[in-house]
Amino acid sequence: MKVLKGIFDYILAIILLLLLFVPMAFIWIITTLETKQNGLFIQKRIGEKGKPFNIYKFRTLKGTYTNSVTTEKTHQLTKFGRFLIKTKLDETPQLFNILNGTMSFVGPRPDVTGYADELKGEDRIILTVKPGITGPAQLAYRNENEILNKVENPLKYNDEVLWPDKVRINKDYVLNWSFTKDLEYLLKTVGL
């Protein structure tokens, strides 16, 4: 069945890229103009077997230097970036991650270093599968930014509450994986 998952991912990614290539090109142009940087954002994430890989997204933040002495950098969400995040269109370049074999449509969300790469014991089972564009933890915390904006210490809340719960959800996903459930997660992601 996992071979079926890989074939499904590859075929669906090609179909979607063919359908979305022109809109993605326009999004890239708009994000490049609005952020005054390359509209494609590339970041290191932790993938299958704990290996780092480059994830692709459309840039939604504009960075500006605010302090000439410390060169402290701040980021501002652009208007178009807000739209991209709300519609999840900022994630569409991850179709290339699926084609290059570093991601799947459904799986645990790939995290930055300091989280998934530091999993211990049975929690490391999460790293036995390719990370996904969507999955049960992403759906459970679809409004994660809103949650974090309401707490006094977002980093502490993430590390002590959200992250452990995501690990639990993702472990359950890996242990009870089925192609049918993957299809259900995809349909829920697109609102069906």
Side-chain angles (χ1 to χ4, degrees), residues 22 55 79 106 119 152 189:
V22 172
I55 194 172
K79 288 180 183 178
V106 181
L119 290 169
E152 189 175 317
T189 299

Side-chain angles (χ1 to χ4, degrees), residues 12 44 48 50-51 53 64 71 75 80 99 101 107-108 110 112-113 118 138 140-141 143 156 160 162 165 168 173 180:
L12 184 58
K44 285 278 184 221
E48 188 177 20
K51 293 181 181 175
F53 73 98
T64 53
T71 63
H75 299 283
F80 190 58
L99 290 180
V112 294
T113 56
E118 295 186 7
Q138 293 92 302
Y141 289 105
N143 61 343
K156 183 177 179 186
E160 295 177 1
L162 297 184
D165 196 41
R168 180 191 61 76
Y173 167 78
T180 306

Side-chain angles (χ1 to χ4, degrees), residues 109-176:
R109 189 78 185 140
D111 277 289
V112 294
T113 56
Y115 290 91
D117 54 324
E118 295 186 7
L119 290 169
K120 305 283 186 233
E122 63 183 31
D123 291 346
R124 290 190 66 80
I125 194 169
I126 294 168
L127 300 174
T128 63
V129 299
K130 289 180 184 177
I133 293 175
T134 190
Q138 293 92 302
L139 291 167
Y141 289 105
R142 194 179 281 242
N143 61 343
E144 180 177 345
N145 286 338
E146 293 170 26
I147 294 169
L148 292 174
N149 285 335
K150 292 178 183 173
V151 297
E152 189 175 317
N153 187 332
L155 181 61
K156 183 177 179 186
Y157 189 81
N158 178 68
D159 292 353
E160 295 177 1
V161 179
L162 297 184
W163 172 246
D165 196 41
K166 288 181 191 175
V167 169
R168 180 191 61 76
I169 293 168
N170 286 325
K171 278 171 48 181
D172 183 66
Y173 167 78
V174 174
L175 292 170
N176 299 295

Side-chain angles (χ1 to χ4, degrees), residues 30-92:
I30 293 167
T31 55
T32 298
L33 292 172
E34 192 174 42
T35 64
K36 296 178 177 49
Q37 300 176 67
N38 183 347
L40 189 64
F41 176 70
I42 301 170
Q43 185 181 49
K44 285 278 184 221
R45 297 284 179 100
I46 302 300
E48 188 177 20
K49 298 177 183 167
K51 293 181 181 175
F53 73 98
N54 288 328
I55 194 172
Y56 308 115
K57 297 177 85 169
F58 284 120
R59 193 176 296 277
T60 57
L61 300 173
K62 181 168 36 176
T64 53
Y65 286 98
T66 56
N67 184 325
S68 59
V69 177
T70 63
T71 63
E72 180 184 328
K73 194 169 186 175
T74 61
H75 299 283
Q76 178 184 15
L77 185 63
T78 65
K79 288 180 183 178
F80 190 58
R82 188 172 285 112
F83 165 77
L84 291 177
I85 290 170
K86 187 175 182 180
T87 59
K88 302 294 185 194
L89 288 171
D90 62 319
E91 309 279 353
T92 54

